[in-house]
Amino acid sequence: MSVTALTVEAYTIPTDAPEADGTLAWDSTTMVLVRARAGDCVGLGWTYGPVACAAVVTDLLAPAVVGRREEDVAGAHEAMVRALRNAGRPGIAGCALSAVDVALWDLKARLLSLPLHRLLGAVRDAVPVYGSGGFTTYDHTQLERQLSDWTGRGISRVKIKIAESWGSRPDRDLDRIRQARAVVGAGTELFVDANGGYGRKQAVRMMDEAAEYDIRWFEEPVSSDDLDGLRQVRDAVRPDVTAGEYGYDLPYFRRMCAAGAVDCLQADVSRCGGITEWLRVAAVAAAHGLEVSGHCAPHLHVHVAAATVNLRHLEWFHDHVRIESTCFDGTLDPAGGVLHPDDGAVGHGLTPRTADLERYRVR
């Protein structure tokens, strides 16, 4: 059977409160949803990115995919990469490619009547997660409520945003770290994410000042493009240093690993090239003795994470969890700090809530 159609829609969903990290603020998130059809069967994939991703799917990727055999996902992926040559793969085009790749994997699994994690070769039935949000826009009450919700569900790792206003509010960063540790207690791992908002020595000083709060994960202490800086911070601080969420192709991840820049490599299925490229990224990380962690979009990641030997965990990211729970039936519960891919559902197991989505559709 061949892929007979590739269609795309964009949906912009407002946040439930103002959100910001160290270097960006937003009040809505756009999901670009791709449907890959073969006969009466439809596979779904999506990315979080600008509406312009939809035009890339329609104009450049659909001609490369429609008419190909549905089982040839790797071949379709390569055809799409070639179609993006002049458009440039990083950024919007990479997000579009990722959404189509996931849709094709979901389509293949559904046609074979298999759960996606079984098609990919699951090595675990439970995928660990960490709670993520803790936006710099939150006041003490909002932060406490969110952290308590995660720990109340049995999630034993939580992450907050720091480096507020490009690192210009270090006292408030420390105050929020102090509050987070007080709320979650000593038995929960505390992660922080600077989103590249600090300078090299400032990042080291911050971890020295926060040493008593036992931070275990320091995400993007400096720009992820500054591989030398990441390595210098990694060598100087106790928490694991991590980055990689802005990787759009395999060479990016190879450079980051080869530079010794991180203790754990992040990758994002909605950006890196979908499931096809995630598997390659995980292999590159393994060759450098590293684990991988899935960035955001937990329901996009859970099936391939279950099939990844060197997985550390996935990000249970507040914004995307809320969107996926609103827009799809079949979402998962992180009780006990893990996700269990559904063995009783085909594909990734998600079905769009058409009526709920319609009010957010970008026309």
Side-chain angles (χ1 to χ4, degrees), residues 67 130 136 157 166 331 351:
Y130 67 88
T136 58
R157 309 168 193 86
W166 288 92
T331 54
T351 305

Side-chain angles (χ1 to χ4, degrees), residues 1-7 34-38 43 56-84 96-105 107-108 276:
M1 188 175 293
S2 298
V3 178
T4 54
L6 199 67
T7 59
V34 172
R35 292 173 170 87
R37 181 179 297 274
V56 177
V57 173
T58 301
D59 297 344
L60 297 176
L61 302 183
V65 170
V66 173
R68 299 189 68 93
R69 297 288 299 176
E70 48 76 22
E71 73 271 14
D72 185 18
V73 180
H77 188 279
E78 181 61 22
M80 289 191 288
V81 169
R82 292 180 180 181
L84 294 175
L97 166 65
S98 301
V100 177
D101 183 81
V102 173
L104 293 174
W105 275 107
L107 176 65
K108 182 175 180 177
T276 299

Side-chain angles (χ1 to χ4, degrees), residues 65-303:
V65 170
V66 173
R68 299 189 68 93
R69 297 288 299 176
E70 48 76 22
E71 73 271 14
D72 185 18
V73 180
H77 188 279
E78 181 61 22
M80 289 191 288
V81 169
R82 292 180 180 181
L84 294 175
R85 190 198 70 175
N86 288 351
R89 178 167 168 184
I92 289 170
C95 291
L97 166 65
S98 301
V100 177
D101 183 81
V102 173
L104 293 174
W105 275 107
D106 184 46
L107 176 65
K108 182 175 180 177
R110 290 175 189 265
L111 285 168
L112 294 171
S113 298
L114 285 172
L116 182 53
H117 61 291
R118 297 302 174 197
L119 174 63
L120 294 169
V123 296
R124 58 173 56 82
D125 295 322
V127 177
V129 300
Y130 67 88
S132 172
F135 303 110
T136 58
T137 44
Y138 283 0
D139 60 24
H140 274 224
T141 300
Q142 289 172 298
L143 183 58
E144 180 175 355
R145 184 185 305 121
Q146 187 176 71
L147 292 168
S148 298
D149 176 67
W150 291 329
T151 57
R153 294 172 180 233
I155 297 174
S156 60
R157 309 168 193 86
V158 300
K159 186 175 81 180
I160 66 168
K161 302 289 190 179
I162 59 171
E164 182 175 350
S165 301
W166 288 92
S168 65
R169 301 285 305 278
D171 290 345
R172 187 163 190 265
D173 290 341
L174 286 169
D175 181 61
R176 296 175 68 253
I177 290 170
R178 186 180 304 113
Q179 182 197 2
R181 174 53 74 197
V183 171
V184 303
T188 298
E189 294 185 36
L190 180 58
F191 297 177
V192 296
D193 183 359
N195 287 98
Y198 291 138
R200 298 179 184 183
K201 290 190 175 181
Q202 184 184 18
V204 175
R205 289 195 299 271
M206 285 298 299
M207 289 302 99
D208 286 345
E209 293 182 50
E212 66 183 284
Y213 305 112
D214 190 24
I215 293 169
R216 299 295 182 87
W217 171 277
F218 194 8
E219 186 172 330
E220 288 190 317
V222 298
S223 169
S224 57
D225 292 327
D226 182 8
L227 297 182
D228 289 339
L230 285 171
R231 175 60 185 266
Q232 289 175 18
V233 175
R234 181 191 180 198
D235 288 345
V237 301
R238 291 184 62 192
D240 281 356
V241 167
T242 180
E245 67 187 69
Y246 299 112
Y248 290 96
D249 56 26
L250 201 60
Y252 172 99
F253 296 100
R254 180 188 60 80
R255 289 191 296 271
M256 185 167 279
C257 292
V262 294
D263 294 292
C264 181
L265 184 67
Q266 288 181 290
D268 187 329
V269 164
S270 78
R271 294 173 178 169
C272 75
I275 290 170
T276 299
E277 197 80 327
W278 164 283
L279 293 168
R280 297 167 179 165
V281 170
V284 169
H288 288 84
L290 297 175
E291 294 176 316
V292 293
S293 176
H295 172 260
C296 291
H299 292 92
L300 271 181
H301 286 87
V302 63
H303 289 270

